[in-house]
Amino acid sequence: MMNRRRQHDGDDDGYEHRNRKRRRVSENQEIEDRLESLILRVGERSTSSVESNLEGLVSVLEADLGTFRLKILRILSECAVKMPEKCTIYTTLVGLLNAKNYKFGGEFVDHMVKTFKESLKLCRWDAARYSLRFLADLVNCHVISVTSLLQLLDTIIDVSNEDTVPQVRRDWYVFAVLSTLPWVGRDLYEKKESSLESLLLRIEVYLNKRSKKHHNALRVWSVDAPHPQEEYLDCLWAQIRKLRQDNWAEKHIPRPYLAFDSILCEALQHNLPQIVPPAHHESYEYPMPSVVYRMFDYTDCPDGPNLPGAHSIERFLIEEHLHHIIEMHHLERKDCAAQLLDFPYKSKIPLEYCIVEVIFAELFHMPTPRYIDIVYGSILIELCKLHPATLPQVLAQATEILFMRIDSMNTSCFDRFVNWFSYHLSNFKFTWSWEEWDSCLLLDTEHPRPKFIQEVLQKCLRLSYHQRIMEMMPETYAKLLPVPSQPNYKYASEEAGSLAGTQVAHQLVVAIRQKCSPEEVINILKELPNSGENSDQEMSDSSFNPLKIDVFVQTLLNLGSKSFSHSFAAVSKFHLVFKALAESEEAQICILHNVFELWQNHQQMMVVIIDKLLKIQIVDCSAVATWIFSKEMTGEFTKMYLWEILHLTIKKMNKHVIKLSNELNDAKEKFAKADSSSSDSEDEATPKRKKPVTVVDKPTEEMVERMEEKLEAANVDQKRLFLIVFQRFIMILSEHLVRSDTDGRDPDTDWYRWTVGRLQQVFLMHHEQVQKYSGTLETLLFTSDLDSHILEVFHQFVALRA
């Protein structure tokens, strides 16, 4: 008993020691958390000014630099990259700390330089740009010398002279410097005017010689009236030139360091080390060029503050800031709307107009928006709820502008406009002043304006029901209204008596209602004669028989026509029968044609059924593509749903290839790891304690080979799919151009513009996958003898990454 007690007593000290240690660790953790929270929140709205906030924080941090130096370095450099809108607050903070502690200032500069270099190496382009901006702004706070910053900017502009690298690389480096100049331009101009001028001259030389072949592919509108669709670098260059004219004085960036000038100008400065941008590597992906979206000018905004001009640097800074707010908060629509409306400089600008323009700029961004369409739709709805007195009017004005300019709108943007507007209407009781758009009823139905209304109503139908659409529209719009979405089952129509398959169709209905098996269905279908081309030859049961497919597909889907779920259940239950009938591509196209024949008045049903047939591998992607371009679908060719089907088909194929490619890479990595760990353990008498790769994890060489074969096959299918799509486009467009030439007609019809727009859409929407085959496409399809209009679309696409 005593023994045990004594042992316990002896342990007491150890326990106390451990406890003290634990307490110290948790106290440290608390202090670290408090420091982090203070740094993150500095300069945010509080009763005191930013300046007194900063003074307070500097004295807190200075006291803690000894113990928490690394933590403070890390938090500050993260803030520089993740909160670029507070850049000048943090540079002031670093400036004040540097004035009190030169060593810490040097360590921070080193840390920031490291962040900048790493961001470049890892292709984190935004982080790199924000790091560069931060370093530049440190010149204003007397932390970094002007000379060493100019050397860095010159080194970055050297990239624009590199040979044999993609233009997008050179573009980005020039953009990074241009977008940094608003922060530091004034200081450079006052202290090193001639160096700044020679830097600008080098940029101008580059901008004048770069190719802008990609420009037209990225425009929202094909005409420049009333607002030019400027290429992003040209636009920023014009804004910087205007800033230079104004002696580098801008009115948007807050500069808290001016209040501390007397302290900061006493501080010692650091020189930046020599920083060489990493050389280009095949695997590097650079940001794509873009076009600056303009929708409003100052005449569109009534009373209140003026909208900054298109070439004022303020316009660039405001837009960049708003885009960043969307990026930070896009997952929480309510927060996002609140943050946008709480924009720090809202009293100086017509904020609602700026926000609406920026959101549409994101939605219409080419080749694809950053986020899915509904992100923007839901943020706009929240904005309308928060500012019901002003925002709905601005949005209505924007919709009006878009509708009036729709004739020259890019086809991809047309689709996004349809999707957004129908979704928006469905959230506001489908109210709209349609009478104001009456003039479009005089136009041909293929014209973009009536076409837009027709497509919007089709989309509204998906979000509502037929009767509701009929009630919301004025009677004058009758010809644009969707027809009731009933199945069109021919074996129950008046002509059914004369059709070859009617009798078997009726038998099939009875059997399916009595819950028959797939085998019984196959037996019933055996009675049908083969009306196919090879009908005279003796054929096996499973061969392509159009009548069998016709009777089976239409009867089954008609029985399941009550809802999507009923249709899916029917398809799943008789999967076996589909498989037996869909043996060749010809048979698969026949299945698709029957789906269309039954459901041509219900676009959404066609989309979901075809999606289902692709998912369960009844039809191949190439069959869907061939069917879309078939003669039977000519009447549907300019309707949006058909292209929705094509894009979901291509996306399915792309996803499949990406999945196989990722699986193969994982397997190769595991294989290599297993190999190296087994050789390690052989080499060393005392093997390292690391998690061994288990037998289950380790793929065998045969498995890796099988995966390679699978990926190879998928790549072949993908390439074939793109070849089919582009070949069909070329055929129908060339036919149209030749026919117009022979008949002496203008080829530039609505149909032609839609079709070229769709061709461009396939290139841009799937650019990452199509890019792999651009060499093949150039050799086989887009050859120099092709009509220049068609060839131009291909060349613009190639220029995107050139």
Side-chain angles (χ1 to χ4, degrees):
M1 192 74 178
M2 274 175 72
N3 245 353
R4 193 178 307 162
R5 176 83 173 271
R6 191 171 298 132
Q7 207 175 348
H8 233 91
D9 288 348
D11 255 9
D12 233 23
D13 279 351
Y15 179 72
E16 186 55 38
H17 172 70
R18 268 208 308 279
N19 224 6
R20 251 201 327 270
K21 201 169 170 189
R22 194 175 298 142
R23 220 174 17 243
R24 197 166 62 241
V25 168
S26 68
E27 274 170 17
N28 278 359
Q29 191 56 52
E30 269 174 37
I31 299 174
E32 284 191 5
D33 291 347
R34 191 172 59 88
L35 285 177
E36 182 154 12
S37 154
L38 284 172
I39 295 174
L40 290 179
R41 295 214 322 271
V42 66
E44 282 176 18
R45 305 241 165 105
S46 65
T47 44
S48 54
S49 67
V50 174
E51 286 75 17
S52 62
N53 242 337
L54 280 165
E55 279 175 331
L57 182 57
V58 167
S59 52
V60 171
L61 292 180
E62 198 196 352
D64 285 323
L65 273 183
T67 323
F68 301 106
R69 177 183 234 97
L70 285 173
K71 178 80 176 171
I72 293 168
L73 278 173
R74 192 178 57 73
I75 300 170
L76 280 173
S77 53
E78 274 183 16
C79 288
V81 169
K82 291 189 175 145
M83 298 158 91
E85 68 284 356
K86 284 167 70 176
C87 167
T88 54
I89 295 176
Y90 288 117
T91 50
T92 308
L93 180 58
V94 173
L96 291 169
L97 285 169
N98 178 60
K100 297 197 174 215
N101 186 328
Y102 180 73
K103 183 164 177 272
F104 176 78
E107 284 177 356
F108 179 79
V109 171
D110 290 345
H111 206 82
M112 212 55 231
V113 165
K114 196 168 140 224
T115 304
F116 176 56
K117 286 163 125 176
E118 264 172 22
S119 305
L120 289 176
K121 208 186 279 166
L122 298 169
C123 298
R124 293 192 183 129
W125 303 113
D126 280 343
R129 201 158 62 83
Y130 297 147
S131 309
L132 179 65
R133 174 193 301 177
F134 201 87
L135 289 169
D137 202 44
L138 286 175
V139 169
N140 296 320
C141 304
H142 298 270
V143 178
I144 288 175
S145 68
V146 177
T147 319
S148 71
L149 178 76
L150 275 163
Q151 276 169 352
L152 170 60
L153 297 180
D154 255 326
T155 312
I156 292 175
I157 293 300
D158 286 343
V159 173
S160 68
N161 294 326
E162 290 177 358
D163 292 333
T164 67
V165 298
Q167 180 177 299
V168 277
R169 170 181 166 87
R170 291 176 284 183
D171 282 358
W172 182 84
Y173 278 94
V174 170
F175 177 67
V177 171
L178 281 177
S179 63
T180 298
L181 287 177
W183 272 261
V184 75
R186 178 79 192 175
D187 220 33
L188 298 180
Y189 164 68
E190 285 171 355
K191 294 175 183 163
K192 294 273 180 188
E193 192 183 352
S194 60
S195 304
L196 175 61
E197 283 304 315
S198 67
L199 183 78
L200 291 170
L201 185 64
R202 293 182 67 196
I203 291 174
E204 187 167 22
V205 167
Y206 172 71
L207 292 177
N208 287 337
K209 68 177 187 198
R210 71 189 273 266
S211 152
K212 283 184 289 215
K213 191 85 175 155
H214 55 269
H215 187 172
N216 284 339
L218 301 175
R219 297 165 66 110
V220 176
W221 289 291
S222 56
V223 294
D224 273 333
H227 306 299
Q229 299 286 291
E230 287 183 289
E231 212 270 346
Y232 82 118
L233 269 180
D234 288 353
C235 182
L236 180 54
W237 175 240
Q239 289 163 332
I240 292 290
R241 285 216 318 262
K242 170 87 174 63
L243 180 60
R244 178 166 78 179
Q245 255 173 11
D246 302 339
N247 290 332
W248 299 96
E250 55 65 51
K251 301 186 279 292
H252 187 75
I253 299 172
R255 301 185 185 267
Y257 35 76
L258 296 176
F260 298 103
D261 195 47
S262 55
I263 303 171
L264 296 175
C265 69
E266 295 295 312
L268 288 172
Q269 295 175 335
H270 305 267
N271 284 323
L272 286 168
Q274 175 77 23
I275 302 172
V276 181
H280 172 61
H281 187 268
E282 285 300 281
S283 64
Y284 285 3
E285 281 209 6
Y286 301 91
M288 281 204 195
S290 59
V291 165
V292 178
Y293 179 77
R294 292 274 179 260
M295 184 178 207
F296 300 122
D297 57 33
Y298 64 96
T299 55
D300 294 310
C301 315
D303 28 83
N306 271 341
L307 182 71
H311 283 164
S312 70
I313 199 66
E314 284 73 23
R315 190 77 169 258
F316 170 77
L317 297 170
I318 291 161
E319 284 166 358
E320 186 180 46
H321 194 156
L322 290 169
H323 281 299
H324 189 252
I325 291 174
I326 293 173
E327 183 183 347
M328 294 306 289
H329 302 281
H330 71 277
L331 295 171
E332 288 294 341
R333 62 183 196 283
K334 290 187 168 161
D335 290 355
C336 192
Q339 291 287 342
L340 288 167
L341 290 170
D342 201 20
F343 191 66
Y345 315 101
K346 54 187 173 190
S347 56
K348 299 184 190 170
I349 55 169
L351 181 63
E352 282 93 348
Y353 285 91
C354 292
I355 290 174
V356 168
E357 185 172 69
V358 161
I359 290 178
F360 278 114
E362 291 245 352
L363 177 63
F364 293 146
H365 183 263
M366 297 297 291
T368 46
R370 277 204 286 189
Y371 313 116
I372 55 173
D373 296 5
I374 202 162
V375 166
Y376 307 108
S378 60
I379 294 170
L380 284 167
I381 288 166
E382 291 304 325
L383 288 164
C384 290
K385 286 182 192 166
L386 286 174
H387 272 206
T390 50
L391 238 142
Q393 280 89 313
V394 175
L395 203 47
Q397 193 180 335
T399 309
E400 193 61 37
I401 287 173
L402 291 171
F403 184 71
M404 285 326 189
R405 299 189 59 193
I406 205 166
D407 310 20
S408 63
M409 191 184 245
N410 178 313
T411 307
S412 295
C413 297
F414 175 92
D415 287 3
R416 296 177 213 166
F417 183 26
V418 166
N419 291 337
W420 165 73
F421 189 52
S422 52
Y423 169 72
H424 193 78
L425 286 176
S426 75
N427 278 278
F428 290 94
K429 301 181 180 169
F430 293 101
T431 12
W432 185 252
S433 42
W434 296 103
E435 288 82 2
E436 290 178 13
W437 288 354
D438 275 359
S439 60
C440 78
L441 298 168
L442 305 169
L443 299 166
D444 183 74
T445 46
E446 286 294 298
H447 186 281
R449 286 187 203 183
K451 177 71 110 192
F452 172 75
I453 291 170
Q454 217 168 5
E455 294 291 5
V456 164
L457 297 179
Q458 280 289 354
K459 279 284 155 88
C460 286
L461 190 56
R462 297 189 187 189
L463 302 165
S464 177
Y465 52 96
H466 194 264
Q467 191 52 41
R468 182 79 181 79
I469 307 293
M470 304 304 279
E471 287 162 9
M472 80 186 215
M473 294 304 288
E475 285 175 14
T476 41
Y477 281 78
K479 68 171 184 174
L480 300 181
L481 294 176
V483 289
S485 31
Q486 300 301 328
N488 175 20
Y489 182 52
K490 61 182 177 189
Y491 295 116
S493 65
E494 286 165 13
E495 298 86 55
S498 59
L499 297 174
T502 305
Q503 204 181 343
V504 175
H506 290 324
Q507 271 175 278
L508 199 53
V509 170
V510 174
I512 293 173
R513 283 200 172 131
Q514 288 172 352
K515 309 236 182 311
C516 68
S517 68
E519 290 73 19
E520 288 171 80
V521 169
I522 290 174
N523 275 330
I524 294 170
L525 293 174
K526 271 187 183 163
E527 297 177 28
L528 289 167
N530 189 350
S531 57
E533 296 146 30
N534 316 27
S535 48
D536 46 343
Q537 296 170 10
E538 276 302 308
M539 298 195 79
S540 64
D541 297 336
S542 65
S543 63
F544 174 50
N545 177 338
L547 191 54
K548 267 188 193 180
I549 290 175
D550 196 316
V551 170
F552 170 68
V553 173
Q554 297 214 20
T555 304
L556 182 71
L557 292 181
N558 184 53
L559 284 170
S561 64
K562 199 171 175 186
S563 70
F564 296 143
S565 313
H566 285 77
S567 297
F568 287 172
V571 171
S572 298
K573 184 175 177 188
F574 295 101
H575 184 261
L576 232 158
V577 185
F578 275 108
K579 268 291 186 214
L581 293 172
E583 277 213 329
S584 63
E585 190 166 291
E586 230 177 335
Q588 292 171 16
I589 293 169
C590 185
I591 290 174
L592 292 166
H593 180 61
N594 278 289
V595 173
F596 170 69
E597 214 173 89
L598 181 76
W599 277 126
Q600 55 192 309
N601 294 332
H602 194 334
Q603 297 181 356
Q604 192 180 7
M605 186 62 98
M606 271 192 279
V607 174
V608 296
I609 287 179
I610 290 170
D611 186 38
K612 180 75 173 169
L613 294 175
L614 279 164
K615 242 179 213 144
I616 59 175
Q617 298 179 343
I618 299 296
V619 297
D620 295 334
C621 295
S622 52
V624 177
T626 308
W627 166 73
I628 284 171
F629 288 93
S630 66
K631 283 276 187 282
E632 297 151 347
M633 299 308 287
T634 309
E636 306 293 295
F637 200 68
T638 57
K639 293 182 182 171
M640 245 173 91
Y641 85 92
L642 204 62
W643 301 97
E644 190 182 342
I645 292 173
L646 181 69
H647 292 304
L648 76 85
T649 305
I650 296 175
K651 273 182 189 153
K652 270 222 161 30
M653 186 81 240
N654 294 350
K655 258 187 183 156
H656 180 57
V657 170
I658 292 165
K659 179 171 163 276
L660 291 178
S661 163
N662 290 342
E663 282 172 2
L664 175 65
N665 290 336
D666 284 354
K668 278 182 173 169
E669 262 176 40
K670 279 182 183 165
F671 189 71
K673 257 189 202 149
D675 261 13
S676 66
S677 67
S678 63
S679 63
D680 277 354
S681 53
E682 281 164 27
D683 288 351
E684 295 174 24
T686 50
K688 290 175 191 154
R689 283 182 62 181
K690 65 164 120 169
K691 183 172 172 273
V693 178
T694 59
V695 180
V696 185
D697 280 347
K698 185 192 166 181
T700 61
E701 210 165 327
E702 290 77 57
M703 277 160 74
V704 174
E705 274 173 19
R706 256 205 312 281
M707 288 166 119
E708 278 173 341
E709 281 162 18
K710 244 179 160 174
L711 177 62
E712 184 56 38
N715 275 323
V716 168
D717 287 345
Q718 186 186 40
K719 188 192 223 170
R720 176 161 179 257
L721 176 61
F722 284 129
L723 285 171
I724 289 172
V725 171
F726 291 128
Q727 186 190 24
R728 298 301 147 104
F729 267 122
I730 289 172
M731 277 162 61
I732 57 171
L733 284 167
S734 304
E735 260 171 47
H736 168 81
L737 292 168
V738 168
R739 208 168 40 246
S740 306
D741 193 35
T742 316
D743 302 350
R745 279 198 324 260
D746 182 9
D748 195 20
T749 61
D750 287 320
W751 178 91
Y752 173 73
R753 267 179 261 168
W754 284 123
T755 309
V756 168
R758 292 297 174 196
L759 167 61
Q760 195 172 43
Q761 190 181 31
V762 173
F763 272 124
L764 294 180
M765 219 164 150
H766 311 286
H767 62 92
E768 287 169 0
Q769 297 292 318
V770 180
Q771 201 73 44
K772 302 191 296 197
Y773 307 116
S774 46
T776 311
L777 292 171
E778 190 164 13
T779 323
L780 295 180
L781 297 177
F782 294 92
T783 49
S784 53
D785 53 350
L786 204 57
D787 186 281
S788 60
H789 296 81
I790 309 172
L791 208 50
E792 185 58 24
V793 177
F794 177 68
H795 287 155
Q796 284 169 13
F797 158 72
V798 175
L800 281 182
R801 290 212 186 270

